[in-house]
Amino acid sequence: MVKLKTDEAIEQMRASGRVVAHALAAARDVARVGVSLRELDAVARAVLRGAGASSPFLGYRPSFAPVPFPAVVCVSVNDAIVHGIPDDYRLRDGDLVSVDCGAKLAGWVGDAAVSFTVGRARPDDLRLIATAEAALAAGIAAAVPGNRIGDIAHAIGTVCRAAGYGIPDGFGGHGIGRAMHEDPGVPNEGPPGRGTKLRPGMVLAIEPMLIAGGTDDYACDPDGWTLRTTDGTRAAHAEHTVAITADGPRILTAL
């Protein structure tokens, strides 16, 4: 069931979204060659703690997961697509890093992700990241009343496929509110004009994920969480929490 949010609820979600934005910015600021993934998680934890927010990621255990998620951010490096568990790996020159973070404040959840490079960037990585951001922007632009979920999916998929990139099969965005995952699902590809009609008060986490090699295939690491490209090519992930309003889409997780 799709749960519509009041204007007051959307304002509260904007507050949680700001916490997410600051946590992502802080993690990105400290991401340098030699810094461990655990350090990125520690920085994000400090931001959440300072804001009086909790993490919807920490301890989260969906049905597919063998263990609860042990961190407040997912950090996915190079060929990891999403759900990477922060560990003792130390960032290296040229790494492509995707950080996904959530925050819960006053009972409302925000969720966003950003991809960036560390040290000397590969031109191909910069193009991949720019396309992920362009796909996200296209999806957000389609998030207007009267459109349907399929219009968001089609906008995202068109940008990704035109650039020659793959889209992990079966993964995409979601409704968000009191819980991190609510109805409806938001695919990253599909025909326009189909699916749930968008109405003011809906709030969606829109999140394109791109695979550089053009395949849609992925595999899960033994940790039961990290999704990785099967062809070894790199991946990028971009996400915002977006409210559908009568005045157009409103990004709740921007700084």
Side-chain angles (χ1 to χ4, degrees):
M1 178 191 301
V2 176
K3 300 176 182 178
L4 299 181
K5 280 73 178 178
T6 64
D7 290 345
E8 180 183 5
I10 289 173
E11 286 301 321
Q12 291 176 315
M13 291 190 71
R14 173 62 178 140
S16 61
R18 284 194 186 96
V19 177
V20 173
H22 284 293
L24 288 174
R28 183 171 185 167
D29 283 347
V30 301
R32 300 287 186 272
V33 173
V35 172
S36 75
L37 305 190
R38 289 190 197 277
E39 290 176 82
L40 303 188
D41 182 65
V43 167
R45 285 178 190 249
V47 172
L48 268 61
R49 184 168 56 250
S54 61
S55 170
F57 288 16
L58 184 63
Y60 180 59
R61 188 180 183 183
S63 59
F64 66 80
V67 296
F69 196 77
V72 305
V73 290
C74 302
V75 187
S76 306
V77 180
N78 296 333
D79 63 336
I81 306 167
V82 287
H83 302 164
I85 296 176
D87 57 16
D88 292 326
Y89 175 85
R90 294 191 176 274
L91 293 170
R92 301 171 184 172
D93 188 40
D95 277 347
L96 192 165
V97 184
S98 298
V99 182
D100 189 356
C101 182
K104 190 169 189 176
L105 186 66
W108 295 98
V109 180
D111 186 9
V114 63
S115 292
F116 54 87
T117 58
V118 173
R120 291 169 293 184
R122 300 181 183 184
D124 286 349
D125 288 347
L126 295 179
R127 177 175 175 265
L128 179 66
I129 293 168
T131 305
E133 293 171 348
L136 175 58
I140 293 171
V144 296
N147 272 0
R148 294 183 178 271
I149 288 293
D151 295 307
I152 298 175
H154 180 70
I156 292 170
T158 297
V159 173
C160 297
R161 296 301 187 187
Y165 296 131
I167 301 170
D169 186 38
F171 279 83
H174 47 89
I176 185 169
R178 291 286 187 184
M180 182 164 58
H181 294 115
E182 296 182 354
D183 291 333
V186 187
N188 285 329
E189 188 174 32
R194 297 188 183 181
T196 303
K197 181 175 283 190
L198 304 181
R199 293 179 286 166
M202 292 175 66
V203 182
L204 308 173
I206 300 174
E207 52 177 324
M209 309 163 198
L210 284 63
I211 297 175
T215 178
D216 298 350
D217 298 331
Y218 60 88
C220 189
D221 277 3
D223 63 21
W225 279 99
T226 307
L227 302 185
R228 200 173 296 277
T229 66
T230 56
D231 61 4
T233 61
R234 296 188 168 194
H237 179 202
E239 179 183 16
H240 271 307
T241 296
V242 180
I244 312 299
T245 81
D247 297 323
R250 181 183 179 192
I251 299 173
L252 304 181
T253 44
L255 277 175

